[in-house]
Amino acid sequence: QCVAFSPDGKYLAAGEGSGHISIWDLSTTQRVAQCENPRGPGVLEFSSNGRHLANANFKDGFWLWDWNPPHLTFHGPPPSAKGMVNGIDLRDGIVTAVHLNPQLLRRWDLTTVRELPGFPIEIGWAKGFPAYSAFSSDGHLIATKSDRGVFLWNRQTGAKLPELLGSDVTGCPLAFSPAARSPLMTTP
C-alpha cells in the first residue's frame, strides 16, 4: 500500500492493507521490526534524521514511532492530530501534516507535542477520494492538487506560490523532482 526509505537508505518501511507496517533491512533483506495500525497505513514517512517514523491515513490522522534500529517504539499521536491526513513530513523536530477537513496545513513540535500555528490550503477531491499532496525533498515546498490545478505552498510561512493551472487529474499521485523545485504528476 505504501513505502518509505530511511534517509540513510538502509531501511525500507512498508505498509500493508491489513494494517501491518514492517521495516526491512535492505542489506540483509530481513524484516527487523513490525507494528500495527488497525486503520491501515496510507502514508509512511521517516523523519529527516531517521529517528522517527510517521504513519498517516485518510480517516484517523497520524501516529508516530521512535526508530532506533532494530527497535520501533510507539510514540503516539499528538492529542489534536485526529482528522483526515493525506501528506506528512517530519523535519527539524516539526511534524507537518496536510489535513483535509478542514483544509489546513497543521504543525506540531515533536519534543513538546504542542500544536504550532498552521495555515489554510487548497486541496481537491476526485471520485470521492482526496487528491494527493507532496513535500519537496528539501522540506521547503508543499504541492497540493485540486480540480483547478496544482498549488505550491511555502512550508514555513504558508505563502501560496505560483499555481500550475489546468490539470484535471486530481486523483493521480503527485511528487517532486529530485531537485525539489518541480512537482511531477502521473497520469491515469
Side-chain angles (χ1 to χ4, degrees), residues 78-91:
S80 60
K82 297 297 182 194
M84 299 178 70
V85 174
N86 85 334
I88 196 158
D89 185 65
L90 292 86
R91 172 180 322 271

Side-chain angles (χ1 to χ4, degrees), residues 10 25 27 35 38 56 66 80 85 101 122 125 129-130 148 164 173 180-181 187:
K10 294 181 181 179
D25 182 323
S27 65
C35 61
D66 295 325
S80 60
V85 174
N101 191 12
E122 184 175 338
W125 293 75
F129 292 96
R148 293 191 350 224
L164 305 172
R181 292 290 168 215
T187 56

Side-chain angles (χ1 to χ4, degrees), residues 134 143 145 150 164 172-178 181-186:
K145 288 169 51 177
V150 176
L164 305 172
C172 297
L174 183 64
F176 274 88
S177 67
R181 292 290 168 215
S182 303
L184 305 171
M185 292 181 289
T186 62

Side-chain angles (χ1 to χ4, degrees), residues 117-137:
F119 51 85
I121 58 171
E122 184 175 338
I123 190 163
W125 293 75
K127 299 179 183 167
F129 292 96
Y132 291 87
S133 61
F135 290 84
S136 64
S137 60

Side-chain angles (χ1 to χ4, degrees), residues 68-178:
N68 184 11
H71 304 288
L72 191 61
T73 307
F74 186 64
H75 188 91
S80 60
K82 297 297 182 194
M84 299 178 70
V85 174
N86 85 334
I88 196 158
D89 185 65
L90 292 86
R91 172 180 322 271
D92 305 324
I94 304 293
V95 177
T96 305
V98 176
H99 272 253
L100 299 172
N101 191 12
Q103 294 186 6
L104 292 172
L105 194 76
R106 296 177 67 191
R107 302 167 356 122
W108 291 265
D109 182 296
L110 254 176
T111 306
T112 65
V113 195
R114 214 179 66 235
E115 188 162 4
L116 304 171
F119 51 85
I121 58 171
E122 184 175 338
I123 190 163
W125 293 75
K127 299 179 183 167
F129 292 96
Y132 291 87
S133 61
F135 290 84
S136 64
S137 60
D138 64 5
H140 293 121
L141 300 175
I142 300 163
T144 61
K145 288 169 51 177
S146 79
D147 56 355
R148 293 191 350 224
V150 176
F151 301 97
L152 298 176
W153 309 87
N154 179 301
R155 176 182 175 259
Q156 297 298 324
T157 67
K160 191 174 185 182
L161 304 173
E163 304 169 1
L164 305 172
L165 297 177
S167 167
D168 62 353
V169 288
T170 310
C172 297
L174 183 64
F176 274 88
S177 67

